[in-house]
């Protein structure tokens, strides 16, 4: 995840393909493990257990990051907003159904909650 974020932030115009991988990780990380039902996830009171992978990815990534990497991840999260042209590329990446933009926002917000959980 960190490598994909760094690559995208280094050259957002040419690295939009990384958004697909990032979106995939937010959906699939630990999705088939019992961790999605762990106490930390339950205590987080997520709006949907489908967001547990995003939360766990945030938790685990933060544990691996040095301070300068934390800054890069926060810069990425801050850049992913509706006024950034890359936002719609992120929304379309692995998104389908009626609530694609809402799902993308929920995944990013939940990832941020996990990333900042014990900060």
């Amino acid at each position: 995840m960190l490598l994909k974020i760094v690559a995208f932030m280094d050259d957002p115009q040419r690295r939009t393909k990384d958004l697909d991988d990032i979106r995939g990780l937010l959906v699939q990380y630990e999705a088939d493990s019992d961790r999605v039902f762990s106490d930390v996830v339950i205590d987080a009171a997520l709006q949907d257990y489908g967001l547990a992978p995003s939360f766990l990815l945030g938790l685990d990534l933060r544990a691996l990051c040095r301070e300068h990497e934390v800054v890069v991840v926060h810069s990425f999260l801050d850049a992913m907003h509706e006024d950034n042209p890359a936002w719609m590329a992120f929304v379309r990446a692995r998104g389908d159904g009626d609530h694609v933009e809402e799902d993308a926002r929920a995944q990013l917000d939940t990832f941020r909650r996990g990333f900042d959980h014990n900060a």
Side-chain angles (χ1 to χ4, degrees):
M1 180 71 158
L2 181 60
L3 293 175
K4 291 296 182 178
I5 289 172
V6 169
F8 174 78
M9 293 303 289
D10 187 49
D11 191 358
Q13 303 302 327
R14 295 183 52 205
R15 301 294 304 202
T16 56
K17 63 183 170 126
D18 291 319
L19 296 174
D20 185 60
D21 295 331
I22 291 169
R23 189 85 191 272
L25 286 168
L26 291 170
V27 172
Q28 298 170 348
Y29 183 78
E30 295 281 355
D32 293 332
S33 79
D34 290 338
R35 284 188 72 203
V36 297
F37 303 108
S38 65
D39 289 342
V40 70
V41 172
I42 292 168
D43 292 344
L46 303 176
Q47 68 186 35
D48 181 336
Y49 272 105
L51 295 171
S54 298
F55 184 78
L56 291 170
L57 181 57
L59 279 175
D60 292 350
L61 183 61
R62 180 58 176 260
L64 299 173
C65 285
R66 296 185 178 146
E67 194 55 41
H68 68 278
E69 295 163 334
V70 169
V71 171
V72 172
V73 173
H74 279 139
S75 295
F76 169 76
L77 291 169
D78 292 343
M80 287 294 103
H81 57 78
E82 291 75 11
D83 295 332
N84 183 340
W87 169 247
M88 285 313 294
F90 179 78
V91 168
R92 286 189 298 272
R94 302 205 179 202
D96 57 351
D98 295 333
H99 305 286
V100 177
E101 194 163 0
E102 292 170 27
D103 292 345
R105 174 57 52 210
Q107 290 163 353
L108 277 181
D109 289 347
T110 305
F111 171 78
R112 182 188 297 261
R113 280 185 61 198
F115 193 76
D116 293 340
H117 183 69
N118 291 322

